[in-house]
Amino acid sequence: MKICVISFDFWNYDAHIVEELRRKGMDAHHINIGAYQHESFPARVKNTISKILLKRNLKNELRQEMILKKLNKLGPQDQILVINPELIDREFHFQIKKFTKRYIAYLYDSLARCPAGHLVDMFDEVFSFDKKDAEKNNFKLITNYNYLPEVNEFKPAKYDLIYLGSFDKRIGTLSKITTKIEELNLSYNCVVVGKKTWTKKLVQSTSEITFTRKRIKHRDIPSYYSEGKVLLDLMRDNQTGLSFRFFEAMALKKKVITNNPTITDYDFYRPENILVLKDDLSNLDKSFFEGTYKELPTEVHEKYRMENWVETVFKLK
């Protein structure tokens, strides 16, 4: 079976889907539009001028043309999965759809954050990680997946709390939490990644939160998380779906502190493992850090593995 995954894979999570498909013997390929680069410095300058004067992003157009060029080389596909389809214009979706028998989408962002409602009619099936969107729009609800093997050996944690995230509005909540952590005499390591992190560095009064343009390599994320007793998960505005952090924590057998209240609806939620923060942080105390991790049943781990996700989305069962 020939399957193609198309996505803007900033954190390199989507590549795991293709790897799993290949392990299952599929002829699978990944078109990562996020990897597209301008061919030359003059081309970069031209795009900058076009965005300023014409409000037209030539790079986005070239990315989409790249998709068609690669599909022309790959030929017809049995299935094509597009992750976050709002990044591709409707006219290009029409062209892409011609290459496959089954055209499907996965929304790893809420419609409120990344509007894709005008495109859903293009697809034979739409999957979403956001419960509200799935219920309202008759999408197939599916969480993100656990791409990591379970750990059996535990190394001493270097920090009580650890966080890795993009540079966005969550910074305000992160600052309040780290202040509370300091009051509790606990340690933390937080890395915030983004092109505009330099703006925060200008006013940042503490070096405890690292702001950087350079993201941690995907293969190094498990090692980074393993340095913490507890992982911090902060929900984006207008979004209730579960981040990959919950599933990485599941594999690494780490506790999680989160401000996402929907986590209590899932079968792997255990209050011993996951603390849902109150708005005023009044329930953030040392006792959660001092308690032991509660092991999850094997069947729960199996349910959220990469293999099960791939079999469900691509109907391989």
Side-chain angles (χ1 to χ4, degrees):
M1 184 181 293
K2 299 182 73 174
I3 299 175
C4 184
V5 177
I6 301 171
S7 70
F8 190 106
D9 198 7
F10 181 80
W11 287 99
N12 295 317
Y13 283 107
D14 308 338
H16 292 292
I17 299 172
V18 179
E19 291 170 6
E20 181 61 32
L21 286 168
R22 288 174 178 168
R23 276 195 291 269
K24 290 183 173 297
M26 307 297 158
D27 182 3
H29 296 271
H30 184 201
I31 299 177
N32 181 6
I33 60 177
Y36 178 85
Q37 298 293 327
H38 287 297
E39 294 180 354
S40 63
F41 179 72
R44 187 186 301 273
V45 173
K46 182 180 178 181
N47 187 52
T48 300
I49 295 172
S50 177
K51 286 194 291 184
I52 295 172
L53 299 180
L54 304 177
K55 307 300 181 183
R56 178 182 172 191
N57 192 329
L58 299 177
K59 188 174 183 179
N60 285 345
E61 295 175 18
L62 292 170
R63 280 172 174 160
Q64 296 176 90
E65 290 173 3
M66 177 193 74
I67 296 172
L68 297 179
K69 287 178 182 178
K70 292 200 172 186
L71 285 173
N72 274 310
K73 289 183 179 180
L74 293 173
Q77 303 291 303
D78 293 293
Q79 300 186 58
I80 292 179
L81 169 68
V82 182
I83 300 177
N84 280 24
E86 77 282 352
L87 299 173
I88 300 172
D89 296 334
R90 190 176 181 88
E91 61 188 90
F92 282 94
H93 278 292
F94 273 114
Q95 296 300 314
I96 296 168
K97 192 173 183 178
K98 293 177 182 178
F99 284 89
T100 187
K101 301 171 185 176
R102 183 171 183 252
Y103 197 41
I104 54 179
Y106 176 48
L107 308 182
Y108 169 51
D109 271 303
S110 66
L111 291 177
R113 286 198 70 249
C114 299
H118 62 295
L119 297 171
V120 296
D121 64 298
M122 298 289 303
F123 298 93
D124 298 304
E125 201 160 20
V126 177
F127 295 85
S128 173
F129 87 142
D130 193 282
K131 276 190 173 185
K132 291 182 179 178
D133 282 350
E135 292 170 359
K136 185 177 179 180
N137 300 280
N138 200 30
F139 299 153
K140 293 292 182 64
L141 177 66
I142 191 168
T143 66
N144 282 312
Y145 43 80
N146 176 14
Y147 62 92
L148 294 171
E150 277 184 68
V151 298
N152 293 313
E153 296 182 8
F154 295 92
K155 297 179 181 179
K158 190 174 179 181
Y159 303 97
D160 293 299
L161 186 73
I162 207 155
Y163 175 79
L164 173 63
S166 301
F167 184 76
D168 51 36
K169 293 180 180 179
R170 292 176 290 179
I171 300 301
T173 303
L174 176 62
S175 296
K176 292 177 183 177
I177 291 171
T178 55
T179 297
K180 178 77 172 182
I181 292 295
E182 290 174 3
E183 291 172 358
L184 295 172
N185 291 318
L186 296 172
S187 61
Y188 63 89
N189 186 25
C190 301
V191 175
V192 177
V193 182
K195 291 182 178 179
K196 295 183 179 180
T197 50
W198 65 271
T199 60
K200 193 64 179 178
K201 285 182 179 179
L202 294 177
V203 297
Q204 184 66 24
S205 59
T206 174
S207 61
E208 297 302 324
I209 300 176
T210 301
F211 292 91
T212 177
R213 287 173 59 93
K214 186 177 181 181
R215 66 180 182 269
I216 293 175
K217 292 180 180 179
H218 183 66
R219 64 174 180 268
D220 295 331
I221 290 177
S223 296
Y224 174 72
Y225 283 152
S226 68
E227 292 186 341
K229 287 182 183 178
V230 179
L231 310 187
L232 176 62
D233 172 80
L234 296 179
M235 186 172 56
R236 293 178 183 270
D237 286 347
N238 301 312
Q239 190 160 285
T240 60
L242 303 184
S243 72
F244 275 102
R245 202 165 289 109
F246 288 104
F247 306 100
E248 289 160 335
M250 186 186 299
L252 298 171
K253 298 181 181 177
K254 296 285 185 179
K255 292 186 169 192
V256 178
I257 290 175
T258 182
N259 62 349
N260 188 344
T262 67
I263 188 62
T264 59
D265 298 333
Y266 293 86
D267 56 1
F268 63 87
Y269 169 75
R270 304 288 187 278
E272 299 91 341
N273 297 344
I274 301 174
L275 174 66
V276 181
L277 291 171
K278 293 181 179 179
D279 291 340
D280 62 0
L281 307 183
S282 60
N283 61 333
L284 178 56
D285 56 43
K286 277 190 174 182
S287 62
F288 182 74
F289 293 86
E290 295 167 347
T292 56
Y293 178 87
K294 184 176 180 64
E295 292 280 351
L296 298 174
T298 301
E299 57 268 24
V300 173
H301 280 280
E302 294 292 338
K303 179 179 178 180
Y304 296 99
R305 288 194 192 284
M306 174 87 264
E307 181 179 10
N308 191 50
W309 193 96
V310 164
E311 289 177 348
T312 301
V313 170
F314 296 104
K315 296 187 175 180
L316 302 179
K317 290 184 178 181

